[in-house]
Amino acid sequence: SGRQTFNPITWLGASGQLVRNTFFGPPADLNAAKRDYAAFLQDTWAPISSLTLDLGVRYERDSIIARNNPSYRAGFAYAIGPEAHTVIRGGVGLPDSLDSVLPANRVGVWVQDQFTLTSGWTLEPGLRFDWSEANGKATVSPRFTALYRINPATRFKGAFGLYTQSPGYEKLIQSDFFIDLTDASGLDLLHQRSTHYILGFERDLQPGWTARVESFYKTFDDLIVGRLETNEERLERISR
């Protein structure tokens, strides 16, 4: 939900003269519900001890576009030498015409502790710090989990946490759009953020078997999403 406004478009000819103006309607409230469906299947296969293959397919569909979007991925890892100190990796998932390099170091530090208040209550607080060279920004993410044991076999669980993701090409492999991050530091991109809330109930049925019911609620902020290319960008691309 939100509110959208429109600005008029001025069309100019090759010599700079005014050709026409295009006006849109007044500001309007936008309220649309969307459901996303996704499934991902991946398998790792080692035909020989030094070669590992990763093959996968992802299916996506959303309620607004109502279009099926399958995408395929493949990767390999080849270990050189009996001790596998050197590994050659490769894969397919990004456009073949991509020519962009984004060298970026990332640092992540976290602390987490678990302590028991009583025989029934167990608390697990945590804090994570992340920094990425890609956008030169840092984030601090608190997490907290509480577990209450009704009896040795039955438990209630609640959790809260902030999770972040820095910009990077590796995050776009499973996307249905592509973003040029060559000048990521100049785009003033923020870490993508998601806040998770979880409530759950667990019951041990027998050794090795546990029944679990969980409910999730997530919010997303500062998402990095693609856009349609302009007509000038399209003409430049197809003229190459």
Side-chain angles (χ1 to χ4, degrees):
S1 61
R3 186 171 178 81
Q4 57 182 356
T5 58
F6 307 94
N7 296 319
I9 298 177
T10 300
W11 301 82
L12 301 178
S15 59
Q17 79 277 12
L18 176 65
V19 176
R20 65 178 181 181
N21 286 320
T22 301
F23 297 92
F24 300 93
D29 293 327
L30 177 64
N31 189 359
K34 178 184 177 183
R35 290 183 179 274
D36 294 311
Y37 304 91
F40 180 68
L41 177 64
Q42 181 171 312
D43 190 23
T44 300
W45 176 45
I48 57 178
S49 59
S50 59
L51 178 63
T52 302
L53 301 177
D54 289 309
L55 305 175
V57 60
R58 180 180 177 89
Y59 165 82
E60 291 183 342
R61 181 181 179 88
D62 69 74
S63 58
I64 294 181
I65 301 179
R67 184 178 62 186
N68 299 320
N69 297 300
S71 54
Y72 308 93
R73 291 84 190 257
F76 73 90
Y78 181 73
I80 301 176
E83 298 183 359
H85 290 313
T86 303
V87 179
I88 300 175
R89 301 180 183 273
V92 177
L94 292 175
D96 295 335
S97 59
L98 173 65
D99 184 12
S100 176
V101 178
L102 179 64
N105 296 312
R106 293 193 298 267
V107 176
V109 180
W110 67 93
V111 59
Q112 183 173 297
D113 192 17
Q114 184 182 92
F115 57 93
T116 301
L117 291 180
T118 65
S119 59
W121 282 99
T122 299
L123 304 181
E124 189 175 295
L127 191 68
R128 180 182 177 95
F129 170 84
D130 288 280
W131 176 84
S132 174
E133 187 182 6
N135 59 355
K137 299 183 183 298
T139 61
V140 177
S141 307
R143 285 90 183 266
F144 183 79
T145 301
L147 186 143
Y148 177 70
R149 294 179 178 84
I150 300 176
N151 55 54
T154 309
R155 301 170 295 276
F156 279 104
K157 182 178 181 180
F160 157 85
L162 174 63
Y163 296 83
T164 65
Q165 181 172 274
S166 61
Y169 282 130
E170 70 278 9
K171 284 88 172 182
L172 299 173
I173 294 178
Q174 297 183 7
S175 301
D176 57 357
F177 58 85
F178 178 76
I179 299 176
D180 186 0
L181 297 175
T182 305
D183 186 27
S185 60
L187 298 177
D188 195 27
L189 298 176
L190 301 176
H191 282 60
Q192 301 180 101
R193 299 156 51 95
S194 178
T195 305
H196 296 196
Y197 304 88
I198 303 174
L199 288 176
F201 173 79
E202 298 178 354
R203 172 75 178 180
D204 295 333
L205 303 179
Q206 60 182 17
W209 289 87
T210 300
R212 180 183 296 114
V213 178
E214 292 184 332
S215 62
F216 299 85
Y217 180 78
K218 300 181 181 181
T219 63
F220 299 91
D221 298 287
D222 302 324
L223 296 182
I224 302 174
V225 297
R227 64 167 175 80
L228 295 177
E229 61 183 354
T230 64
N231 187 56
E232 290 77 10
E233 293 170 336
R234 182 184 64 83
L235 294 176
E236 179 184 359
R237 174 174 55 81
I238 64 178
S239 64
R240 295 173 184 172

